[in-house]
Amino acid sequence: MSETLSLPVAVSADWLRDHRDQVVLVDSRWYLDGRSGRDAYRAGHLPGAVFTDVDADLAAPASPEGGRHPLPAPEDFAAALGRLGIGDDAAVVVYDDAGGSVAARLVWLLRVLGTPAAILDGGLQAWDGPWEEGETTPEPVERTPLPWPSDRIADTDTVRAATGDRAALLLDARVHGRFTGEQPAPVDARPGHVPGARSAAWPDNLDDEGFLAAPEALRARFAALGADSAETITAYCGSGVTACHDLLALEHAGYTGARLYPGSWSRWGADTSLPVETGDPAGA
């Protein structure tokens, strides 16, 4: 496996075929409605792909203080990666069947730690080769724990301060109906969004074919939301998963240093001491 392989935020199925022996391939399917991603993986996955559980591998246990998917402790994350066969010198490609919205979590977590990682553009649907059933059991490896970089992670106090700062851009990656409060999900404690946030629904990062939009299109999208004049950009969603899709799209568009609010709406909305806005004044 190459130690120097460099990856963009997304790679094509053709690229994966040509470089399959250079990457660890990870299936990251997960469903908000409670369906089992592991069962879907067992029923059929890309050859050689290992499965990662968003809840068990990519998050600490849910809590009122951390939300539904807090960041795992560095030691726990390193241990999970080691079980998946992802060592310090690995390059990783991750896919799902939801436009990359779930795969983005592992990809962003790896990239922010300096590990080459990319989503499979178009996901499972873009793969026209053979599938495998059952489970792939990787050879465990050692993975060095690394701390989460403090400049790329925002806590609730940081987000609260950003609500009154015109130089701080907050992006909400949930679908627009959840942002406005008109179509809240059952998992949302309250409808609405963080005051001052802009709606940046993750599906709008994709083109009409379901692939990541071109950098220039994404640049125009985020510029219209205020990214060009922002001193800081922070993305959140329901629980810190699909927000990572916005963060990868921002990087694809040329914006660097954007932050994740891991607690996201599952943390903010559940705290009745924190203010909430509904509707979308910016889109009116």
Side-chain angles (χ1 to χ4, degrees):
M1 189 173 295
S2 171
E3 295 184 16
T4 59
L5 187 65
S6 178
L7 294 179
V9 299
V11 298
S12 69
D14 287 342
W15 184 98
L16 180 60
R17 290 187 190 92
D18 292 341
H19 298 85
R20 179 63 189 89
D21 62 343
Q22 295 179 271
V23 302
V24 178
L25 182 60
V26 181
D27 185 310
S28 189
R29 279 178 279 181
W30 177 86
Y31 305 102
L32 185 62
D33 61 12
R35 285 177 291 152
S36 169
R38 187 177 292 275
D39 285 349
Y41 165 80
R42 289 170 175 155
H45 58 265
L46 272 61
V50 297
F51 179 77
T52 187
D53 187 311
V54 170
D55 297 314
D57 299 330
L58 308 184
S63 70
E65 298 78 19
R68 289 196 306 276
H69 290 118
L71 289 184
E75 296 78 12
D76 294 337
F77 187 53
L81 295 177
R83 290 192 298 271
L84 294 172
I86 301 173
D88 292 342
D89 62 348
V92 182
V93 174
V94 191
Y95 71 86
D96 58 30
D97 58 0
S101 62
V102 179
R105 169 83 169 200
L106 177 56
V107 170
W108 189 80
L109 294 182
L110 288 170
R111 291 179 74 88
V112 82
L113 293 178
T115 294
I119 58 173
L120 176 61
D121 206 7
L124 192 64
Q125 298 88 331
W127 182 258
D128 60 2
W131 287 21
E132 287 182 345
E133 296 181 357
E135 298 226 13
T136 297
T137 303
E139 185 72 26
V141 298
E142 289 294 322
R143 172 83 184 194
T144 304
L146 295 173
W148 300 114
S150 59
D151 62 335
R152 305 299 300 279
I153 307 298
D155 60 17
T156 299
D157 287 340
T158 301
V159 173
R160 182 174 8 212
T163 62
D165 185 352
R166 292 187 178 182
L169 177 62
L170 295 175
L171 298 178
D172 187 319
R174 296 175 299 163
V175 295
H176 194 250
R178 288 180 68 189
F179 173 84
T180 63
E182 296 170 298
Q183 298 173 315
V187 293
D188 291 335
R190 290 187 287 172
H193 57 268
V194 177
R198 300 295 302 273
S199 178
W202 75 264
D204 292 341
N205 296 325
L206 305 177
D207 64 18
D208 293 340
E209 303 293 319
F211 297 96
L212 192 63
E216 57 270 20
L218 291 171
R219 186 86 192 188
R221 179 192 187 208
F222 290 117
L225 293 171
D228 283 355
S229 59
E231 294 180 6
T232 62
I233 303 175
T234 303
Y236 75 90
C237 56
S239 64
V241 176
T242 59
C244 294
H245 200 279
D246 270 7
L247 292 169
L248 294 181
L250 283 160
E251 184 179 347
H252 193 52
Y255 297 98
T256 59
R259 306 179 301 191
L260 172 68
Y261 173 33
S264 287
W265 192 246
S266 63
R267 165 67 178 90
W268 186 282
D271 187 341
T272 56
S273 72
L274 296 172
V276 168
E277 281 185 348
T278 56
D280 187 3

